[in-house]
Amino acid sequence: MKFFKEFQEFTFKGNVLDLAIGVIIGAAFGKIVSSIVDDIITPLILNPFLKAARVENVSKLKWNGIAYGNFLSAVLTFFCIAFVLFVIINLVNKMRKKEAATAATPSQQEVLLAEIRDLLKNK
């Protein structure tokens, strides 16, 4: 019975639950980023190239039996995902900085209380 109690305590610790929630949200967020890259960004970049090369599918691009089209697609997808994540993280960091800046400025009430405190100290 002690084993099960320890297991229960372990599984319901804050860190374990936070990690589980992070993994689940990360998986869902990964699907969103993959969809943005696969369905929006990659076609915008590749379609003009494919039309110019008269290729219907990137995977058909081959040279001496080497399917370099798949490799180019994977590299492009990596850079697109990295760019999308960079933009999202950059926006989140800017929002956090704005929140921190507004939280750092004291309210009018705090300013008045500080003045009263300073006046009382001087007496």
Side-chain angles (χ1 to χ4, degrees):
M1 289 304 210
K2 184 178 178 184
F3 175 78
F4 290 114
K5 185 176 181 177
E6 289 178 1
F7 179 73
Q8 181 182 8
E9 289 174 2
F10 170 76
T11 56
F12 290 108
K13 279 185 182 177
N15 294 339
V16 174
L17 289 174
D18 291 343
L19 179 62
I21 292 169
V23 168
I24 293 168
I25 290 176
F29 186 72
K31 290 180 183 180
I32 292 171
V33 171
S34 294
S35 176
I36 289 171
V37 171
D38 294 340
D39 301 331
I40 297 172
I41 295 175
T42 302
L44 287 174
I45 295 172
L46 283 182
N47 282 346
F49 171 73
L50 293 176
K51 286 179 184 176
R54 294 191 176 122
V55 176
E56 294 178 13
N57 192 351
V58 176
S59 63
K60 291 183 180 179
L61 293 175
K62 294 184 179 182
W63 177 72
N64 289 339
I66 299 171
Y68 69 92
N70 289 336
F71 174 73
L72 291 177
S73 178
V75 169
L76 180 65
T77 300
F78 168 77
F79 283 114
C80 289
I81 289 173
F83 179 74
V84 168
L85 289 176
F86 171 76
V87 169
I88 291 171
I89 290 171
N90 199 4
L91 290 173
V92 169
N93 286 339
K94 285 182 182 179
M95 290 184 349
R96 285 183 180 169
K97 285 180 184 177
K98 286 182 182 178
E99 289 176 7
T102 57
T105 57
S107 68
Q108 183 66 23
Q109 183 180 5
E110 291 173 339
V111 171
L112 291 173
L113 289 172
E115 290 176 4
I116 293 169
R117 180 197 65 213
D118 294 340
L119 288 172
L120 292 172
K121 279 184 183 178
N122 292 336
K123 285 188 175 185

